[in-house]
């Protein structure tokens, strides 16, 4: 991984800085030689930030104060250009925990979307791991590559992006039983379970991130039917903030509730049969009408317009170009 961005120490050219200005408005900039932030509150020169410690307060040309901090990864992913919907930080944290992503792990991700989860996974696997991300649409892959490069400062050597269908491309990208973890963030993950089972090492984890209860039901039943995994475990995470000011301590009026379900299961050893679990009788069977409810159209495949997607690609590439230019300026200034 690149040393850019640094997570501590004085600001330098090439660093991304999050500025909190008047009325709490946020602006994120990449420090450049001769750079300036222009707002209707005045002009803030980038040079006023270079050499200042994280958490400093600087003043612009009109006397307005700005709090300067390096953006946390959660700040970056919530504000970066999006080609597809992102995995929210609350879910990304649970994915890293429940899938047990560790330094040195070989991880497969599908689909890559806008690269939000890719950034969390890359941080977790460290310099000795490998992340292979699959995406069906080239435009989404371009947005993800640009977003990752913007945050990291370069394209990580530990990351491969494959444009194509996971079912067809996975056997060519990885050897059988060589993958530690698989994270499926897609509309119909059950279509990929067979190839995922072949790629996973015994004891490896598959994690599916799905939005609806119908998707959750179908992928759970499919995983059970293969006989290749442990009993699936499903949950969701909700986050409720609290207002804490003096004696006024109460829950916030708004909360981040349902964003998606997480389902995990572990790969059994070849030929192993999991002990049968005794359950109460339930309506576990399903028919053709139920399958119809599980189709991609029924569960809601949200589409982004081509015009909007091209705009997101340009925004992401512009941010990545800015980081590259700032890095070149820094090298020229300090050869």
């Amino acid at each position: 991984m690149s040393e850019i961005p640094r997570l501590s120490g004085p600001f330098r050219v090439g660093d991304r800085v999050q500025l909190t200005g008047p009325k709490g408005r946020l602006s994120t900039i990449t420090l450049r030689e001769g750079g300036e932030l222009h707002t209707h509150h005045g002009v803030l020169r980038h040079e006023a930030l270079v050499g200042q410690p994280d958490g400093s307060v600087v003043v612009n040309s009109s006397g307005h104060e700005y709090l300067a901090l390096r953006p946390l990864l959660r700040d970056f992913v919530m504000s970066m250009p999006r080609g597809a919907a992102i995995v929210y930080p609350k879910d990304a944290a649970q994915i890293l925990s429940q899938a047990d992503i560790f330094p040195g792990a070989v991880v497969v991700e599908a689909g890559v979307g806008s690269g939000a989860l890719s950034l969390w996974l890359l941080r977790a696997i460290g310099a000795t791991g490998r992340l292979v991300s699959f995406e069906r649409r080239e435009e989404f892959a371009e947005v993800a590559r640009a977003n990752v490069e913007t945050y990291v400062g370069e394209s990580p050597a530990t990351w491969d992006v494959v444009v194509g269908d996971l079912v067809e491309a996975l056997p060519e990208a990885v050897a059988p039983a060589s993958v530690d973890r698989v994270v499926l963030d897609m509309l119909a993950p059950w279509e990929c379970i067979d190839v995922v089972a072949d790629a996973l090492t015994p004891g490896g984890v598959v994690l599916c991130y799905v939005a609806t209860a119908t998707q959750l039901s179908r992928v759970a039943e499919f995983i059970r039917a293969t006989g290749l995994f442990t009993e699936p475990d499903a949950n969701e995470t909700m986050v409720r903030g609290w207002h804490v000011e003096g004696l006024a301590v109460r829950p916030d009026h708004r909360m981040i509730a349902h964003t998606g379900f997480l389902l995990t299961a572990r790969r059994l050893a070849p030929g192993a049969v999991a002990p049968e679990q005794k359950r109460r009788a339930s309506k576990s069977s399903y028919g053709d009408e139920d399958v119809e409810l599980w189709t991609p159209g029924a569960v809601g495949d949200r589409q982004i317009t081509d015009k909007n997607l091209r705009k997101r690609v340009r925004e992401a590439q512009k941010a990545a170009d800015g980081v590259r230019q700032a890095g070149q300026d820094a090298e020229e200034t300090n050869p």
Side-chain angles (χ1 to χ4, degrees):
M1 301 284 286
S2 168
E3 295 182 356
I4 302 174
R6 295 185 305 167
L7 301 180
S8 62
F11 295 126
R12 64 177 183 179
V13 172
D15 281 351
R16 290 182 64 81
V17 180
Q18 180 175 273
L19 300 170
T20 304
K23 299 183 180 180
R25 185 177 180 85
L26 296 177
S27 300
T28 302
I29 61 175
T30 300
L31 296 182
R32 298 183 57 181
E33 291 287 347
E36 296 177 338
L37 172 67
H38 291 258
T39 71
H40 61 279
H41 291 292
V43 178
L44 178 65
R45 299 183 184 279
H46 290 196
E47 63 187 27
L49 290 162
V50 176
Q52 296 293 323
D54 215 338
S56 295
V57 175
V58 293
V59 180
N60 73 355
S61 60
S62 299
H64 291 282
E65 294 183 335
Y66 286 80
L67 171 64
L69 290 163
R70 283 186 175 84
L72 302 176
L73 181 49
R74 69 179 185 184
D75 299 324
F76 178 80
V77 299
M78 292 302 294
S79 62
M80 69 187 190
R82 304 179 186 181
I86 66 166
V87 175
Y88 279 79
K90 74 179 183 69
D91 292 323
Q94 290 295 320
I95 289 171
L96 297 183
S97 174
Q98 295 182 32
D100 191 38
I101 309 297
F102 58 90
V106 177
V107 180
V108 166
E109 171 199 18
V112 68
S114 301
L117 182 58
S118 303
L119 282 164
W120 292 103
L121 293 172
L122 286 166
R123 174 179 285 184
I125 65 175
T128 58
R130 180 191 179 199
L131 174 63
V132 185
S133 300
F134 292 82
E135 176 54 56
R136 289 181 176 179
R137 299 190 61 173
E138 175 63 38
E139 298 91 342
F140 287 172
E142 289 181 16
V143 172
R145 291 190 189 101
N147 283 333
V148 171
E149 186 172 343
T150 298
Y151 187 80
V152 177
E154 63 183 10
S155 181
T158 55
W159 190 39
D160 297 312
V161 180
V162 179
V163 178
D165 189 275
L166 182 71
V167 174
E168 300 174 357
L170 182 59
E172 300 178 1
V174 300
S178 65
V179 176
D180 298 302
R181 307 288 186 260
V182 175
V183 180
L184 301 178
D185 175 15
M186 56 176 57
L187 190 65
W190 51 87
E191 296 176 351
C192 307
I193 295 301
D194 290 334
V195 294
V196 165
D198 292 337
L200 276 172
T201 185
V205 177
V206 58
L207 183 146
C208 301
Y209 179 61
V210 294
T212 70
T214 49
Q215 290 171 292
L216 179 67
S217 175
R218 183 166 187 182
V219 71
E221 293 298 335
F222 194 98
I223 288 176
R224 285 194 184 101
T226 66
L228 301 175
F229 294 88
T230 60
E231 176 66 13
D233 179 71
N235 60 74
E236 65 177 333
T237 302
M238 300 184 184
V239 175
R240 182 173 71 173
W242 278 70
H243 172 87
V244 182
E245 186 173 348
L247 297 178
V249 180
R250 55 169 175 75
D252 284 341
H253 297 304
R254 301 179 62 184
M255 67 177 291
I256 304 176
H258 175 79
T259 49
F261 298 103
L262 300 183
L263 180 143
T264 58
R266 300 190 67 179
R267 180 68 164 94
L268 297 174
V273 178
E276 184 176 355
Q277 296 187 7
K278 294 183 179 181
R279 298 189 185 90
R280 293 181 179 179
S282 64
K283 297 179 180 180
S284 59
S285 60
Y286 51 89
D288 293 339
E289 293 182 358
D290 300 304
V291 172
E292 180 61 27
L293 292 174
W294 284 335
T295 59
V299 297
D301 187 8
R302 298 180 63 185
Q303 299 292 335
I304 184 173
T305 65
D306 291 339
K307 180 180 179 181
N308 200 354
L309 182 54
R310 288 193 295 269
K311 178 182 178 182
R312 305 296 174 82
V313 171
R314 291 194 299 270
E315 290 175 351
Q317 291 178 339
K318 181 179 179 181
D321 290 341
V323 170
R324 283 193 291 268
Q325 184 60 51
Q328 294 174 6
D329 292 344
E331 292 178 358
E332 293 174 1
T333 304
N334 302 298

